[in-house]
Amino acid sequence: HSDLTGDLRWDVRPKRPLLTGSFTSQKLDLADIKGFIGARADDEDQDARILPDVPLDISRLAAMDANVDFHGVRIISTKLPLDNLHARFLLEDRLLKVVPARFRTGSGDIALWLTINARKAPVQIVGKLEVRRVPIATLFKNVAKATGEPNLASGSIGGTADLTGTGMSLRDMLATSQGNLGLGMEGGQLSQVAIELIGLDVAESVGYLLAGDQPVPIRCVIADFKVSDGMMKVRSLVIDTADTVVNGEGEINLKDESLALELKPAPKDFSPLSLRAPLTVGGTLKSPTFGVKPAGLLTRGAVAAVLALVFPPAAILAFVEPGSGKDSQCAALLASMAHSSGDPPKNARLVPEN
């Protein structure tokens, strides 16, 4: 369903034929390039997992070399609010590099650098992802239009991921991956309508965790994961609202996509919330489940101990920026973490530099 224009040169004189070209698609349907990321053409919902597992065809990487520039002006997607793709693909003797693939989304952008090295066995895949100031409202754009609710969500997110793995598919790569992943959000809020649209379990859990039946503006979110052999382990996970600080711990298993997280709410002032138990997040990436931990109720005497966990001495990834300046909520939270640990986060930015 996509159109394609441009020009190319096919040179058969080298040992491996060389393709050079520059192409533009005025209307790019993302469904047409599923194969590039290893997704299946059939119904994704038939798979209990969300990470693509279509194997890489090594013979294609060995058949030719390439230097191709691609620009997708308008992107058609029912799920992802992306636009204006630009990417360069370099292929030389089974070594493929994407340098980078960059999407616009609202006032933010997403950039992906990818290297697939089929010269090695097993195949090595190295990926770097940067998310810069992506408005949360953009993610709810289609829903907002369908429901007639223009203010479903607010705030922006950003983050970085640097991962290395091996295997013949994206699923294999992530299941063996090593590296770091971080996410930051500042000034966000989900309306009650948005929470209900996400799902009843989520709605009840968010309300339980933060403020009963009313959504609370989220001042700052910091999520920092260390990835080792496909296990994403929480180093720092903090959700800061006007009334509550939520500290998280646990891990995400990229081998089977299972979740094992625990979120502990601690009120900044004494309130009935101090008697609530931690919230557990289980299930899988595709079908998460939420519950309340039966033991370990937060009593008033335990609040101080929980608050002490909010500012661990672990290093923070370079993904959270003070955003709005010195007075931003994330800046204040990072300053508190730096004061507690004695080691200020290095290059803390929500918008990573090039």
Side-chain angles (χ1 to χ4, degrees):
H1 299 97
S2 306
D3 65 83
L4 191 66
T5 61
D7 54 279
L8 63 89
R9 177 182 177 88
W10 179 249
D11 189 350
V12 296
R13 291 174 297 177
K15 180 179 179 181
R16 292 177 304 277
L18 172 64
L19 170 67
T20 56
S22 178
F23 302 98
T24 297
S25 176
Q26 296 295 331
K27 185 183 71 171
L28 174 64
D29 190 335
L30 281 188
D32 292 339
I33 60 173
K34 279 186 175 181
F36 178 75
I37 61 171
R40 296 187 180 277
D42 55 3
D43 190 354
E44 296 176 355
D45 294 334
Q46 295 178 1
D47 195 336
R49 299 170 63 176
I50 64 173
L51 298 177
D53 67 340
V54 174
L56 178 69
D57 188 345
I58 300 299
S59 64
R60 296 189 178 187
L61 297 181
M64 58 181 286
D65 291 344
N67 185 338
V68 175
D69 187 81
F70 179 78
H71 184 202
V73 179
R74 184 168 65 93
I75 297 177
I76 300 174
S77 173
T78 58
K79 297 182 179 180
L80 300 175
L82 303 174
D83 214 355
N84 195 18
L85 163 67
H86 184 266
R88 177 172 289 275
F89 304 90
L90 303 175
L91 174 61
E92 182 181 5
D93 187 21
R94 296 163 293 158
L95 180 66
L96 174 64
K97 295 183 178 181
V98 183
V99 288
R102 189 180 298 277
F103 294 87
R104 293 290 299 175
T105 174
S107 58
D109 66 87
I110 300 172
L112 171 66
W113 288 261
L114 184 66
T115 299
I116 299 176
N117 188 352
R119 299 173 183 174
K120 296 183 177 182
V123 176
Q124 183 184 66
I125 303 176
V126 179
K128 177 182 179 181
L129 178 70
E130 290 186 355
V131 179
R132 301 168 178 261
R133 296 194 183 282
V134 174
I136 298 175
T138 303
L139 304 178
F140 287 85
K141 183 177 180 180
N142 293 335
V143 178
K145 184 177 180 180
T147 60
E149 295 283 347
N151 300 314
L152 287 177
S154 63
S156 60
I157 60 175
T160 62
D162 291 279
L163 299 173
T164 300
T166 59
M168 297 298 291
S169 69
L170 180 59
R171 182 178 294 181
D172 290 342
M173 178 265 186
L174 291 175
T176 60
S177 59
Q178 313 283 335
N180 301 283
L181 185 150
L183 177 71
M185 183 178 79
E186 186 172 46
Q189 178 175 332
L190 293 179
S191 72
Q192 191 66 27
V193 174
I195 295 175
E196 290 174 356
L197 288 171
I198 294 173
L200 180 60
D201 288 344
V202 179
E204 292 178 347
S205 299
V206 170
Y208 173 90
L209 188 66
L210 299 180
D213 296 330
Q214 298 298 321
V216 172
I218 299 174
R219 295 153 55 95
C220 181
V221 175
I222 295 175
D224 181 15
F225 292 88
K226 173 68 175 179
V227 184
S228 179
D229 192 28
M231 299 295 294
M232 288 177 54
K233 296 186 177 182
V234 172
R235 285 192 295 208
S236 296
L237 176 55
V238 182
I239 304 172
D240 183 32
T241 76
D243 302 316
T244 307
V245 175
V246 180
N247 185 67
E249 60 185 29
E251 61 188 20
I252 300 174
N253 187 338
L254 296 177
K255 296 178 184 295
D256 59 12
E257 303 183 18
S258 61
L259 306 173
L261 300 172
E262 185 175 301
L263 304 176
K264 303 176 181 178
K268 295 179 179 179
D269 297 311
F270 178 73
S271 72
L273 185 61
S274 63
L275 300 178
R276 297 186 179 181
L279 176 73
T280 60
V281 183
T284 65
L285 291 174
K286 188 169 185 177
S287 301
T289 60
F290 302 86
V292 177
K293 190 173 182 179
L297 286 174
L298 296 180
T299 63
R300 185 167 184 171
V303 170
V306 174
L307 286 175
L309 296 175
V310 171
F311 307 119
I316 303 300
L317 278 179
F319 61 85
V320 179
E321 181 188 20
S324 305
K326 294 182 180 180
D327 296 329
S328 74
Q329 306 301 335
C330 277
L333 183 57
L334 284 169
S336 297
M337 297 175 77
H339 177 75
S340 176
S341 66
D343 183 20
K346 305 296 190 299
N347 302 317
R349 304 186 68 82
L350 182 62
V351 184
E353 295 180 342
N354 290 326

